[in-house]
Amino acid sequence: MATNSAESSSDLERAREVSRRLRPGGATAPPSAVTTGPLPTRLGFSAERARALAGGTAPMAAAPHAAAPIPAAPPAPPNPSAELPVAAARPSAPPARPTIPEPPADASWESLLVWCRSALAAEGAFVIDGRGLLVSNSGKLTDDDAQAMGARLVMTVDQADEMERGAQVRTLTLDLSTRCLTGVRLQLASGARLTVGVLSLRPLTLSAGALVRRAFASKLAEG
């Protein structure tokens, strides 16, 4: 029995209509929604797009790239023309030493020793002869101490003369534990020798030795 193609096509359309009615909700899709052409062989949906189509949410926007840190500017070179700090004020100069008065003329041995102590800031001064005997003493030393110290000072000066091969030593300073003992050699007109011993905190300078000789110049002419 031959089949009528028109009836078959009509039956196929009715079957499709029934199938559409049997879907949930009973709604029928508009004819325009039915795809009549061939289906694509590959879908190009991304994961974000698939989630958006399934849940009705918009695709998440990509997080912006973190801004690269701006490198710190190198330190500026020193400016030579910049104002320099004001230097600290220099300490004032030490006060000038008071002028030393001239030694008294035709004074006694004791007066000259007092003058030497005042001019040289010494705590003691004495005169000893070539035999180690005390001539005069002034200051904190007792006569016995000045005698013992003076005798040893004369012996030390004589030994220094020998080290100088017989030449006369004019000034000799001994550095003691807390004080200095300076011996200044004096030559009398008669040829005898005297030694002035000066006990002070600091050794005497060469100019101080010359000052002592000038003070005793009148006595040297007498002897």
Side-chain angles (χ1 to χ4, degrees):
M1 179 176 176
T3 305
N4 190 345
S5 59
E7 293 178 357
S8 301
S9 175
S10 178
D11 293 338
L12 181 59
E13 289 295 329
R14 284 197 295 271
R16 290 177 178 175
E17 180 67 19
V18 173
S19 175
R20 284 193 295 269
R21 291 178 180 179
L22 293 177
R23 291 178 182 178
T28 59
S32 59
V34 180
T35 303
T36 57
L39 295 176
T41 58
R42 183 176 180 181
L43 298 179
F45 294 116
S46 62
E48 290 82 359
R49 184 63 177 172
R51 287 193 297 268
L53 293 177
T57 58
M60 298 176 62
H65 294 287
I70 301 175
N79 186 4
S81 62
E83 183 178 357
L84 297 177
V86 179
R90 295 182 179 178
S92 58
R97 296 184 60 181
T99 304
I100 300 175
E102 291 294 326
D106 299 330
S108 64
W109 290 99
E110 294 179 356
S111 299
L112 291 176
L113 289 178
V114 171
W115 179 88
C116 286
R117 287 176 47 222
S118 176
L120 304 176
E123 61 180 77
F126 56 84
V127 178
I128 201 86
D129 66 9
R131 298 170 297 175
L133 299 178
L134 184 65
V135 177
S136 183
N137 178 39
S138 175
K140 294 182 178 181
L141 293 176
T142 64
D143 289 346
D144 292 340
D145 290 339
Q147 172 72 55
M149 186 176 291
R152 291 176 174 84
L153 180 61
V154 170
M155 293 176 56
T156 304
V157 175
D158 291 340
Q159 292 175 358
D161 287 344
E162 295 178 2
M163 288 187 289
E164 286 292 320
R165 297 181 181 180
Q168 182 178 347
V169 175
R170 296 172 60 84
T171 304
L172 178 66
T173 300
L174 302 178
D175 191 0
L176 307 178
S177 58
T178 58
R179 299 170 295 179
C180 293
L181 177 61
T182 302
V184 180
R185 182 72 66 83
L186 303 178
Q187 182 73 42
L188 299 178
S190 62
R193 294 178 180 178
L194 296 177
T195 301
V196 178
V198 180
L199 190 64
S200 58
L201 294 178
R202 295 178 178 83
L204 300 186
T205 61
L206 295 179
S207 59
L211 186 66
V212 172
R213 293 187 184 90
R214 187 171 71 249
F216 286 92
S218 59
K219 294 296 182 183
L220 299 181
E222 293 176 2

